[in-house]
Amino acid sequence: MDEMEEELKCPVCGSFYREPIILPCSHNICLACARNILVQTPDAESPQSSRASGSGVSDYDYLDLDKMSLYSEADSGYGSYGGFVSAPTTPCQKSPNGVRVFPPTVPQPQQQHLLPHPGSLTPIPRNSCITCPQCHRSLILDDRGLRGFPKNRVLEGVVDRYQQSKAAALKCQLCEKSPKEATVMCEQCDVFYCDPCRLRCHPPRGPLAKHRLVPPAQGRISRRASPRKISTCTEHELENLSMYCVQCKMPVCYQCLEEGKHGTHEVKALGAMWKLHKGQLSQALNGLSDRATEAKEFLVQLKNMVQHIQENGVEFEACLVAQCDALIDALNRRKAQLLSQVNKEHEHKLKVVRDQISHCTVKLRQTTGLMEYCLEVIKENDPSGFLQISDALIRRVHMTESQWGKGTLTPRMTSDFDLTLDSGPLLQTIHQLDFVQMKVPAAPMLQLEECCTQNNSATLSWKQPPLSTITVEGYILELDDGNGGPFREVYVGTETICTVDGLHFNSTYKSRVKAFNASGVGQYSKTLIMQTSEIAWFTFDPASAHPDIIFSNDNLTVTCNSYDDRVVLGNTAFSRGVHYWEMTVDRYDNHPDPAFGIARSDVLKDVMLGKDDKAWAMTDGGITKGATIGVLLDFTRGIVIFLVNDEQQGPVAFEGLEGAYYPAISLNRNVQVTLHTGLPIPDFYTPGEADPTGSVC
């Protein structure tokens, strides 16, 4: 029963489920936790087609909803909900079970230190969105809110039985790290408190003074004594669930059939489907039980291997000592070193087998826990409640069984030692005595026909020598800084082709690659010299632009749908060399006041370019419809020069520039601009030598 405990805990709060509800993805969550992770979406951007509730979403509907969900798997710490223009972004947190969850967007001040009674919670706002904390699928609630999700009465019953079987002292539910023993329970808040948490979160004053505090044991009894609700339809609360919709995979009532929602679907008797699914789950458990039995036998095999490895290790050491003693003084100088290598191999084998034992034990414990949980579910006599979770359990059982597939129950290490001592050489060659072992890989060969540069990116490809039979575990690609500096690692992995982005324009890079395996790192390949493009080709960048910016012409033409100034950057940054690009004004109405220049990546996007210290720009300057604005950026001198219709606008605009800058423009809806790149430096300008004390990229 102990191994089943993780199945009974909420992924958000980490505690045993309380009033669990079933999400359309078949995962469970506490009702209070579901309310806590709701996110409100804009009213104007919540299409009715994407609204759903727990009782009206089929598998096919949910696939469409899943397309609206976005979640970062790169551990950025942020999640966002799709399906609308201005999706709210909320920092995610880690629950006690290690699952990412989303907190409420705007907590009330009193809710930060008080836990009100569930009945006093504020109504759920319209257009609320909830994301499953386990699979991260999102959906927008309908007008019923969380009441539209069915309650998992079977899981609730299993939790109650499990808790009743535990005689351990009740713990405080608000302690952050090591929960202390609870001293009281508030009947209104339905929360167990220790003394410090009670004083901090439930002071005996104000509205909380009227709450009744009882001993924890009495509170547990009152929880158990709460009457169970009758199995009724979530849409028609006065109707009992008596039928099962095969297509929607959910229990329904007669009123659901009469209203036509399930009228064309295949419907069967609830009791018959209950027995059918119980039989399917039992049959699936039989297969999983066989796998668990095999896993137990495999663990016994692994534990026996530990003994065999230890015995063989002792035997191998004795044999080695005997051989070394026969060679007398000459072998004695090498004996200690050889024994050390044997011991390392010995420990390596033990570590591999023990790690496999640990891994298999954990997997077996999880499998046993799932089996015990499923057996408890089968004992339930609530057909509708069982059918609500049976499909998910059957899938989990089959999935767990497949994890014990071919290769899982095979030892990763043999008990024999693969070390061979060569005792044939003469005494004068004893100093060369060593174990036969794997060598380091040979130097890779660069495939010149596949190596190339494009703009400020370089692609390199390589392979092992044709006759090489040495095992290779990975490669290390190194590039210098494009200015004759030291090499640095830019890629480590198993692939034999790599593209490196973000290099300097008009720069010469040296590249080399080497292979490695368990024996060490091999020699470098020949050094390849690659030249990046002299002239930059780029477009405007939709990813970093303000949302009001409108793109067209393959992201070369931009305008705006707002009267306010909005900023858009190019998709390429410059930090070295001399660069020139132009922008033509396609439309210029009602004093649009655009600004042209350069900016850092963190420039403000909702104000005119140049209003903060992250951008340098030119405004006005006699710009009209059809005008061409040129921007000349010279990092050798650290300056920017602006041109209008091929005529320089005054002297040098800005000096002392260093770092990385992006082409930038700010505009509103009264102007449209087209970008032109890949242009040569104007004839009038002669690039100068770099200042000895100038910028460093």
Side-chain angles (χ1 to χ4, degrees):
M1 293 288 286
D2 292 340
E3 295 172 337
M4 183 178 61
E5 184 168 321
E6 290 303 318
E7 297 280 345
L8 309 180
K9 289 186 177 180
C10 174
V12 176
C13 63
S15 302
F16 288 108
Y17 284 105
R18 296 174 57 193
E19 296 182 286
I21 58 175
I22 307 175
L23 300 179
C25 56
S26 300
H27 291 127
N28 300 287
I29 188 175
C30 297
L31 180 61
C33 295
R35 184 180 290 271
N36 287 338
I37 64 175
L38 288 177
V39 175
Q40 188 174 5
T41 61
D43 292 340
E45 301 296 337
S46 55
Q48 293 295 328
S49 61
S50 65
R51 289 174 173 263
S53 70
S55 60
V57 181
S58 69
D59 290 349
Y60 304 98
D61 296 332
Y62 199 82
L63 291 176
D64 294 333
L65 291 172
D66 190 45
K67 295 177 182 177
M68 300 169 55
S69 304
L70 282 175
Y71 189 82
S72 172
E73 296 298 344
D75 201 22
S76 61
Y78 287 85
S80 59
Y81 300 94
F84 34 79
V85 176
S86 300
T89 302
T90 308
C92 70
Q93 300 174 346
K94 290 287 189 71
S95 76
N97 282 359
V99 179
R100 296 185 179 276
V101 297
F102 293 86
T105 53
V106 184
Q108 298 297 327
Q110 65 271 19
Q111 292 176 346
Q112 296 178 0
H113 61 276
L114 298 178
L115 186 60
H117 185 267
S120 64
L121 291 173
T122 57
I124 296 176
R126 292 177 57 83
N127 303 326
S128 293
C129 178
I130 187 171
T131 296
C132 175
Q134 291 182 280
C135 64
H136 311 302
R137 296 181 178 180
S138 304
L139 73 154
I140 301 175
L141 276 63
D142 59 14
D143 294 334
R144 294 175 299 165
L146 296 176
R147 291 184 295 105
F149 296 106
K151 292 186 177 180
N152 194 337
R153 296 184 302 277
V154 173
L155 175 58
E156 194 171 10
V158 174
V159 170
D160 287 342
R161 289 200 303 270
Y162 181 85
Q163 288 182 318
Q164 291 174 14
S165 66
K166 295 294 181 179
L170 293 171
K171 300 294 184 180
C172 175
Q173 294 176 277
L174 299 183
C175 290
E176 295 183 357
K177 294 183 178 179
S178 300
K180 300 179 181 178
E181 185 174 348
T183 56
V184 295
M185 174 195 173
C186 177
E187 290 187 335
Q188 284 70 31
C189 298
D190 196 23
V191 174
F192 291 95
Y193 298 92
C194 64
D195 287 335
C197 292
R198 177 180 59 82
L199 295 176
R200 185 178 73 255
C201 303
H202 201 290
R205 60 182 180 274
L208 299 179
K210 298 180 180 180
H211 289 195
R212 182 171 177 239
L213 302 178
V214 298
Q218 182 179 345
R220 171 187 279 181
I221 295 174
S222 63
R223 278 187 176 181
R224 296 177 184 172
S226 57
R228 293 185 180 273
K229 293 185 177 180
I230 302 175
S231 176
T232 58
C233 180
T234 56
E235 296 187 6
H236 313 99
E237 297 181 353
L238 299 179
E239 296 289 337
N240 293 338
L241 296 172
S242 57
M243 304 296 290
Y244 181 83
C245 179
V246 178
Q247 181 174 341
C248 298
K249 296 183 178 180
M250 59 179 294
V252 296
C253 66
Y254 280 106
Q255 193 168 347
C256 291
L257 301 178
E258 293 175 357
E259 291 181 354
K261 186 173 183 179
H262 302 273
T264 59
H265 296 175
E266 181 183 0
V267 179
K268 294 186 178 181
L270 194 66
M273 292 302 296
W274 173 43
K275 294 180 180 179
L276 176 63
H277 281 227
K278 270 198 173 185
Q280 291 176 352
L281 181 57
S282 299
Q283 185 176 1
L285 279 176
N286 291 334
L288 184 59
S289 177
D290 294 338
R291 290 295 183 180
T293 302
E294 294 176 7
K296 292 179 181 178
E297 296 173 354
F298 178 63
L299 280 175
V300 174
Q301 179 184 355
L302 292 178
K303 293 176 181 178
N304 292 334
M305 283 187 63
V306 173
Q307 181 65 25
H308 294 324
I309 291 175
Q310 292 174 341
E311 294 174 355
N312 291 341
V314 173
E315 181 181 351
F316 193 91
E317 289 181 13
C319 180
L320 180 60
V321 170
Q323 290 178 327
C324 290
D325 288 341
L327 297 177
I328 314 174
D329 294 336
L331 291 180
N332 285 335
R333 291 191 296 267
R334 297 284 294 173
K335 181 169 59 175
Q337 299 177 8
L338 296 175
L339 284 173
S340 176
Q341 294 185 33
V342 173
N343 287 330
K344 288 181 180 179
E345 180 70 10
H346 178 199
E347 294 300 327
H348 171 68
K349 288 179 176 290
L350 290 177
K351 182 179 182 302
V352 171
V353 175
R354 285 168 176 165
D355 289 346
Q356 191 172 11
I357 290 175
S358 176
H359 176 74
C360 188
T361 301
V362 172
K363 184 179 292 187
L364 178 60
R365 183 170 63 250
Q366 294 173 349
T367 300
T368 306
L370 177 60
M371 292 171 55
E372 292 178 355
Y373 171 62
C374 291
L375 291 174
E376 290 296 323
V377 169
I378 292 178
K379 296 177 183 179
E380 288 293 318
N381 294 322
D382 183 355
S384 61
F386 177 83
L387 291 174
Q388 288 174 335
I389 64 174
S390 58
D391 284 318
L393 286 178
I394 293 171
R395 289 195 300 270
R396 286 190 58 192
V397 169
H398 285 305
M399 183 182 302
T400 304
E401 181 183 3
S402 65
Q403 292 175 355
W404 290 103
K406 184 177 180 181
T408 307
L409 303 181
T410 302
R412 300 175 184 172
M413 181 65 64
T414 64
S415 58
D416 297 328
F417 280 71
D418 300 327
L419 301 176
T420 302
L421 183 63
D422 188 2
S423 60
L426 300 175
L427 291 177
Q428 60 267 27
T429 61
I430 290 180
H431 66 281
Q432 298 177 348
L433 185 63
D434 201 349
F435 290 109
V436 176
Q437 56 186 357
M438 185 172 61
K439 299 180 180 179
V440 298
M445 298 175 57
L446 290 169
Q447 302 190 82
L448 301 181
E449 66 276 10
E450 296 184 18
C451 298
C452 62
T453 59
Q454 182 177 6
N455 223 16
N456 65 333
S457 299
T459 299
L460 295 100
S461 177
W462 59 88
K463 63 180 180 180
Q464 278 298 101
L467 300 179
S468 177
T469 58
I470 301 175
T471 302
V472 175
E473 295 183 1
Y475 300 91
I476 301 174
L477 175 63
E478 296 181 354
L479 265 70
D480 68 357
D481 61 355
N483 197 27
F487 283 88
R488 67 190 190 280
E489 293 183 2
V490 296
Y491 172 76
V492 178
T494 59
E495 300 294 333
T496 57
I497 187 170
C498 177
T499 298
V500 184
D501 299 317
L503 303 177
H504 298 297
F505 286 91
N506 194 22
S507 299
T508 301
Y509 285 89
K510 295 179 181 179
S511 58
R512 62 188 184 184
V513 63
K514 57 185 177 181
F516 64 89
N517 60 15
S519 296
V521 180
Q523 296 295 319
Y524 285 105
S525 66
K526 293 182 179 180
T527 300
L528 178 64
I529 300 177
M530 309 183 75
Q531 175 73 35
T532 55
S533 175
E534 279 189 16
I535 299 175
W537 298 85
F538 60 93
T539 64
F540 289 116
D541 184 17
S544 62
H546 192 280
D548 292 339
I549 297 294
I550 301 174
F551 294 83
S552 60
N553 188 25
D554 293 331
N555 297 334
L556 291 173
T557 301
V558 292
T559 185
C560 182
N561 60 11
S562 172
Y563 287 103
D564 298 322
D565 293 309
R566 299 294 185 245
V567 173
V568 57
L569 305 178
N571 62 1
T572 300
F574 304 109
S575 59
R576 180 187 296 172
V578 182
H579 308 279
Y580 179 74
W581 63 91
E582 293 180 349
M583 289 168 280
T584 57
V585 180
D586 303 328
R587 180 166 52 81
Y588 193 90
D589 304 323
N590 300 325
H591 307 290
D593 202 23
F596 307 86
I598 59 175
R600 297 188 186 275
S601 59
D602 56 349
V603 65
L604 295 177
K605 304 298 195 313
D606 54 359
V607 297
M608 178 180 289
L609 195 68
K611 291 295 184 180
D612 61 359
D613 60 351
K614 304 297 176 58
W616 291 259
M618 178 194 74
T619 59
D620 196 9
I623 298 173
T624 60
K625 179 179 179 181
T628 299
I629 296 86
V631 182
L632 178 61
L633 176 60
D634 186 350
F635 279 97
T636 60
R637 295 179 178 177
I639 62 174
V640 176
I641 297 176
F642 295 104
L643 297 87
V644 177
N645 296 327
D646 297 328
E647 294 185 6
Q648 182 174 342
Q649 296 297 295
V652 174
F654 302 101
E655 298 178 323
L657 298 176
E658 60 180 12
Y661 294 86
Y662 291 81
I665 179 177
S666 66
L667 71 170
N668 58 25
R669 65 183 303 165
N670 294 323
V671 67
Q672 178 174 300
V673 174
T674 297
L675 175 66
H676 305 278
T677 63
L679 304 177
I681 306 300
D683 295 336
F684 77 90
Y685 185 77
T686 302
E689 295 296 327
D691 187 347
T693 61
S695 62
V696 178
C697 298

